[in-house]
């Protein structure tokens, strides 16, 4: 299964608490922090809901 590399590129300051919680649950803490997750439906849904804050790359 493919993996996703997710980078936080925009601050969560001023965002709704639900968006902040989603970013936090992905494992992103600080600006420009990077995490890797398996590309399953739950992770894709979380990424879609905060797509304006993160950059996503697919890793082979």
């Amino acid at each position: 299964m493919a993996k996703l590399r997710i980078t936080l590129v925009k601050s969560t300051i001023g965002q709704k608490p639900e968006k902040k919680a989603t970013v936090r649950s992905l494992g992103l803490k600080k600006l420009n922090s990077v995490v890797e997750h398996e590309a399953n439906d739950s992770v894709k849904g979380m990424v879609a809901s905060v797509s304006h804050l993160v950059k996503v790359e697919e890793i082979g």
Side-chain angles (χ1 to χ4, degrees):
M1 180 172 266
K3 291 186 109 178
L4 298 176
R5 180 177 292 143
I6 306 164
T7 307
L8 184 62
V9 294
K10 190 172 180 195
S11 174
T12 58
I13 295 174
Q15 299 295 318
K16 293 185 177 182
E18 295 84 12
K19 303 296 182 187
K20 288 184 181 184
T22 302
V23 168
R24 194 76 171 97
S25 66
L26 282 169
L28 299 166
K29 296 180 182 178
K30 295 182 177 182
L31 205 56
N32 295 318
S33 60
V34 179
V35 293
E36 291 183 3
H37 287 289
E38 291 292 327
N40 57 31
D41 291 337
S42 62
V43 171
K44 287 180 183 177
M46 289 194 292
V47 166
S49 70
V50 293
S51 62
H52 57 291
L53 301 174
V54 298
K55 179 178 78 170
V56 181
E57 303 170 59
E58 189 167 340
I59 307 168

